[in-house]
Amino acid sequence: MELELPDAAATQRLGEDLGRVLPAGTILLLSGDLGSGKTTLIQGLGTGLGIVDPISSPTFTLVNEYLEGRVPLYHLDLYRLDGHEVNDLYLEAYWDEQETAPGIVAIEWAERLDNLPPQAVHLALTYADHGGRNVTLSTQNPSHRALLENLLSHGLLVDEV
Ligand SMILES: Nc1ncnc2c1ncn2[C@@H]1O[C@H](COP(=O)(O)OP(=O)(O)OP(=O)(O)O)[C@@H](O)[C@H]1O
Ligand SMILES: [Mg+2]
């Protein structure tokens, strides 16, 4: 499904809507060019989860963890890593619930991942002609798909932007 995000507030709002409904264990894979809105969306996600700490991209650390919301949020940004480095990190630990407190894992620059978690929600952001952004949401996971369709059918994702 594809949505128009006319301004940064719309990107933020999409994140908030997702943050209110997505269950622990969700992996969000964000892709898109520099400045396409990945961090903005994750900031909204944090708001939707009830996180009040300001969210900024983990540039010098690999991951920022926020434990104060409805479920934990793990924010990763792979921008500075090459493929070998990403593989060496064993990020699978983040979607293996035996190793980490189950939470929502949001990964910027998910294009860098060779081994994609099969049940992830993909958010691909692109620049739109009018200065805003477009986002394509997709997932193979039936329960996540149902959640996204439910958000859409209630107009939460589009009407309020
Ligand atoms: N839908 C939108 N329309 C217009 N501007 C937007 C939209 N969403 C976000 N922005 C703006 O785009 C800029 C870059 O956003 P952001 O930092 O979230 O991008 P990013 O994808 O995380 O960038 P990077 O690739 O550097 O990590 C910010 O100024 C933000 O406010
Ligand atoms: Mg960013």
Side-chain angles (χ1 to χ4, degrees):
M1 51 190 88
E2 188 169 347
L3 299 172
E4 290 182 10
L5 303 170
D7 53 28
T11 308
Q12 174 103 12
R13 175 63 59 93
L14 169 59
E16 282 182 42
D17 288 342
L18 294 173
R20 278 193 283 269
V21 299
L22 289 175
T26 302
I27 315 287
L28 290 177
L29 299 180
L30 291 101
S31 59
D33 288 345
L34 269 177
S36 56
K38 301 177 292 293
T39 302
T40 305
L41 195 144
I42 294 170
Q43 287 166 340
L45 188 74
T47 302
L49 285 168
I51 294 166
V52 292
D53 269 5
I55 290 180
S56 60
S57 233
T59 306
F60 298 106
T61 54
L62 171 69
V63 57
N64 285 342
E65 302 190 351
Y66 303 87
L67 305 177
E68 62 183 300
R70 177 174 62 80
V71 298
L73 172 65
Y74 304 99
H75 180 189
L76 290 83
D77 189 334
L78 307 180
Y79 180 61
R80 284 165 199 282
L81 306 179
D82 68 29
H84 287 292
E85 291 170 319
V86 170
N87 287 336
D88 288 349
L89 291 170
Y90 189 63
L91 292 180
E92 288 83 351
Y94 274 99
W95 40 95
D96 176 354
E97 292 177 14
Q98 289 156 356
E99 301 211 21
T100 331
I104 294 179
V105 182
I107 305 180
E108 295 191 43
W109 291 96
E111 299 95 319
R112 303 267 198 275
L113 287 171
D114 280 341
N115 301 314
L116 296 179
Q119 299 285 340
V121 175
H122 296 255
L123 296 163
L125 287 148
T126 55
Y127 282 82
D129 293 339
H130 50 76
R133 310 285 189 266
N134 293 318
V135 62
T136 303
L137 299 97
S138 56
T139 181
Q140 305 285 342
N141 179 303
S143 63
H144 283 143
R145 178 185 300 274
L147 275 175
L148 296 179
E149 282 168 356
N150 195 37
L151 280 182
L152 269 180
S153 69
H154 286 84
L156 290 179
L157 293 178
V158 281
D159 285 348
E160 297 178 27
V161 300

